[in-house]
Amino acid sequence: MNSLMSRPNPKQKFALQSIALLTLGVVSLLVWNVLKKTYLSDVQVSSVARVSDPVPNLLGDIYFFLSISFLGVLLGITCAFYLEEWLPETNWVRCLIEGQVSILSGVPSLLYGLLVVTVFLPYSGAFQRTQGFPPAGDLNTASLQVSSFQGDTTLFYIAVLTFVLLVVPRVIKATQEALRSVPIPMRESAYALGANRWQVLTKHVVPLSLPRVIAGACRAMSCALAVSALFIGIYISGYTIQPGRMSGRFALFLGAALVLSIFSSFLSQRYPLASTRHT
Amino acid sequence: MKTEKGQPILNIRNLNIWYGDKGILSSLSFEVQEKQVTAFIGPANCGKSTLVRCFNRLNDFTPNFKFTGEILFKGSSLYAEQDATTVRKQIGMVFRRPTLFRGSIHENVAYAARISNVSRTSELNAIVEKNLRRTGLWNEVEGILDETPVQLSTGQQQLLCVARALAAEPEVLIFDEPCGELDPIETVKIETLMRELANDCTLIFATNKRRQAARVSDVAGFLYGGELIEFGATEKIFTNPQDSRTEQYVTGRMG
């Protein structure tokens, strides 16, 4: 890239800084909005601690991690291969996805929790079925059903979806790094012998990058494991809180955040902090 | 392979190359004769590698690579009329640093045959033996064909790379500073090999060692600042150069 060393001039720097501040403001407003709506007004937080059967919970966990590793890791790896091996460097799709990936992989897990509470739960219909806080006696049964994946599975799907969102950007990043670590002379030597793209990919790039890809996927999964407290949050909140549908103002904030993130992903492509590109 | 010595196999007409907005080579026109060693000499960053990488279309992968002009390979346009993969099978390349593939010595040499769907063991063995013998490496590696090539010395690794490139049966073989990482004795081996290979294959050779070019090549071109200053018989370039810059370079007063 020829813009390797170009730094933004004062004007552009001011623009970038104001965008950063604006984003921060939007995020804090979002957080405040959600907190006010859920925890500060009419909250009934469950303080009932119950011992549930370990076997269905364990099965639920295994099923859960199988689902996210299958969906998230597979999606992440294919996406990274597509970005790195097929799209040219100046492609706008690549620019957009890479920007979003950088943003998403830096998002703290709390915000994913907020996403669940404000978007997934109200619109998934989970409340209609569970009818808010269940009678004390039913909580155990409900947990059994969700964990063993037999009864109402909406909460399970919500959790899987959230964790896929959490895992995918990290897997994409790790896989991209792994693909970039394959030495260029290796690729060139193979091409120079008349190998086509597919042969170079299957005989050289995949075997050479596989250890790093697997390590990256494991790291992403363990990262998901580390924030699985969030899962408890989702799970409990499905029974304890009943946020309403999004207000117009809230939707506006969400849209603004989306637009800003897309805008900033193009900006970060234009003014990279450091080059991660080969040649 | 059928034509006689002295016929042009590559025809370069008015070639200009840019990386983005930066001009690398400007208005190059010359012919590469069949079964001769054509050397390109010049100081670092003068565009030697860029030029030789054009012939097997390796520059296709460089972002921002642009060119105008024509490169004709046996009469047909290398870029417009031919498929890159087919071109690279006919025009092989040996790089500065030996790059070893995963797997054994046997697998390395048999690589080109394998990707062209040769799978019979006897055929593969014959190809491996023939090309290792051609490079003079056979006696040294005969017993360790199924072992990793990492244990070989750098010079042997480079010879292995030559054998691997030869196994694709190329008509033209490009050497991009093949001795850049080698010691003098290994260099002599490669140079001798190149002279032998010129009997049945066209060689293109980029180097910044003047004496090496003088020893090995039949035809030489002096590249400087992206221009082909002089192109002609090696003898003439080194003993009676027409341009003062060429004279300065070959006598060691410049570069």
Side-chain angles (χ1 to χ4, degrees):
Chain A
M1 285 190 90
N2 51 6
S3 61
L4 196 71
M5 286 299 138
S6 83
R7 288 257 174 264
N9 62 36
K11 234 185 207 168
Q12 290 161 333
K13 203 172 169 184
F14 178 69
L16 288 172
Q17 278 169 345
S18 30
I19 284 167
L21 277 177
L22 209 59
T23 318
L24 197 69
V26 169
V27 170
S28 358
L29 270 172
L30 272 176
V31 172
W32 173 246
N33 219 10
V34 171
L35 284 179
K36 205 174 71 183
K37 252 194 180 151
T38 56
Y39 290 97
L40 302 180
S41 52
D42 53 341
V43 217
Q44 302 169 286
V45 179
S46 164
S47 56
V48 196
R50 282 169 190 283
V51 186
S52 46
D53 194 0
V55 177
N57 275 327
L58 202 63
L59 279 178
D61 274 359
I62 290 171
Y63 195 84
F64 174 69
F65 272 97
L66 279 181
S67 317
I68 57 169
S69 54
F70 187 74
L71 288 172
V73 173
L74 213 62
L75 184 68
I77 290 177
T78 28
C79 185
F81 264 90
Y82 176 65
L83 284 179
E84 212 43 40
E85 301 292 322
W86 269 272
L87 285 182
E89 285 191 6
T90 47
N91 188 293
W92 70 270
V93 176
R94 178 170 172 160
C95 172
L96 182 69
I97 297 179
E98 279 187 351
Q100 296 297 315
V101 162
S102 320
I103 292 172
L104 277 179
S105 56
V107 165
S109 57
L110 171 72
L111 291 186
Y112 284 94
L114 289 184
L115 176 79
V116 173
V117 172
T118 55
V119 181
F120 291 167
L121 284 180
Y123 289 90
S124 65
F127 290 111
Q128 278 73 22
R129 265 166 274 165
T130 53
Q131 289 300 321
F133 194 67
D138 284 2
L139 194 58
N140 223 343
T141 342
S143 89
L144 236 159
Q145 280 176 349
V146 173
S147 304
S148 60
F149 197 52
Q150 281 163 356
D152 182 3
T153 51
T154 319
L155 286 181
F156 181 84
Y157 286 134
I158 290 174
V160 168
L161 185 61
T162 317
F163 275 87
V164 165
L165 280 180
L166 195 98
V167 161
V168 162
R170 286 158 219 257
V171 175
I172 290 180
K173 274 221 141 157
T175 313
Q176 274 188 312
E177 290 304 319
L179 290 178
R180 282 174 195 161
S181 76
V182 176
I184 307 230
M186 188 69 88
R187 293 174 190 247
E188 284 186 342
S189 311
Y191 277 123
L193 287 167
N196 58 34
R197 183 175 237 175
W198 181 247
Q199 285 162 334
V200 172
L201 206 61
T202 51
K203 285 183 185 233
H204 300 275
V205 176
V206 171
L208 283 171
S209 62
L210 202 60
R212 277 163 187 253
V213 171
I214 293 173
C218 286
R219 214 165 49 228
M221 296 294 292
S222 60
C223 184
L225 197 71
V227 295
S228 60
L230 169 69
F231 179 54
I232 300 167
I234 300 164
Y235 175 59
I236 297 293
S237 65
Y239 292 96
T240 52
I241 50 172
Q242 257 187 313
R245 306 238 153 179
M246 266 190 266
S247 66
R249 200 163 36 137
F250 185 78
L252 198 71
F253 281 143
L254 218 58
L258 197 67
V259 169
L260 278 176
S261 79
I262 291 172
F263 192 51
S264 65
S265 70
F266 280 108
L267 271 177
S268 68
Q269 205 74 14
R270 181 71 187 82
Y271 302 109
L273 285 175
S275 176
T276 45
R277 294 274 193 284
H278 41 63
T279 43
Chain B
M1 292 246 174
K2 288 139 263 162
T3 37
E4 275 173 39
K5 205 165 184 142
Q7 282 210 336
I9 188 162
L10 277 164
N11 240 318
I12 287 83
R13 288 184 197 151
N14 202 17
L15 181 71
N16 294 284
I17 294 175
W18 295 270
Y19 288 148
D21 299 327
K22 193 178 163 225
I24 304 293
L25 295 171
S26 58
S27 29
L28 265 59
S29 298
F30 57 90
E31 285 176 354
V32 175
Q33 308 293 326
E34 190 153 24
K35 296 187 186 174
Q36 285 198 340
V37 181
T38 308
F40 290 99
I41 51 172
N45 281 327
C46 67
K48 297 184 301 277
S49 289
T50 307
L51 176 62
V52 295
R53 285 158 65 92
C54 270
F55 301 141
N56 66 347
R57 294 189 56 173
L58 264 191
N59 282 332
D60 291 16
F61 302 109
T62 315
N64 305 327
F65 169 73
K66 279 186 297 190
F67 81 102
T68 60
E70 252 189 321
I71 303 177
L72 299 179
F73 175 55
K74 294 197 289 187
S76 75
S77 171
L78 200 63
Y79 279 80
E81 292 166 30
Q82 298 204 16
D83 171 53
T85 315
T86 327
V87 164
R88 292 191 198 111
K89 279 180 184 164
Q90 292 168 302
I91 305 181
M93 184 152 181
V94 176
F95 297 84
R96 175 190 172 93
R97 209 177 272 248
T99 27
L100 304 169
F101 294 162
R102 293 173 333 117
S104 63
I105 295 174
H106 186 286
E107 280 168 23
N108 265 276
V109 182
Y111 186 85
R114 266 178 212 269
I115 59 172
S116 314
N117 294 324
V118 178
S119 53
R120 287 242 301 282
T121 321
S122 56
E123 263 177 87
L124 289 176
N125 287 344
I127 289 171
V128 169
E129 182 174 347
K130 179 185 158 202
N131 289 295
L132 283 175
R133 277 192 196 283
R134 266 173 104 179
T135 49
L137 207 59
W138 177 250
N139 292 332
E140 292 160 57
V141 300
E142 194 185 349
I144 51 168
L145 282 180
D146 292 324
E147 289 172 35
T148 166
V150 181
Q151 55 184 308
L152 301 176
S153 73
T154 321
Q156 287 173 321
Q157 290 182 4
Q158 190 66 297
L159 285 171
L160 185 72
C161 289
V162 178
R164 191 175 63 192
L166 283 174
E169 303 282 339
E171 290 176 43
V172 179
L173 194 55
I174 301 166
F175 285 84
D176 188 3
E177 290 205 33
C179 307
E181 308 254 316
L182 306 185
D183 72 22
I185 295 169
E186 293 167 331
T187 305
V188 171
K189 276 190 192 169
I190 297 270
E191 285 176 10
T192 326
L193 176 63
M194 284 171 74
R195 280 312 326 169
E196 280 169 24
L197 290 177
N199 291 327
D200 38 39
C201 174
T202 310
L203 265 57
I204 296 172
F205 179 36
T207 181
N208 54 18
K209 294 178 186 151
R210 320 168 176 85
R211 297 210 177 132
Q212 191 172 40
R215 282 192 298 267
V216 177
S217 65
D218 301 309
V219 179
F222 173 56
L223 279 168
Y224 185 69
E227 283 176 63
L228 188 61
I229 307 289
E230 207 166 336
F231 186 80
T234 306
E235 218 173 305
K236 206 174 146 231
I237 296 270
F238 280 90
T239 55
N240 186 21
Q242 299 301 302
D243 196 285
S244 60
R245 283 168 295 183
T246 318
E247 194 195 342
Q248 284 179 357
Y249 186 76
V250 297
T251 51
R253 270 181 283 156
M254 176 178 81

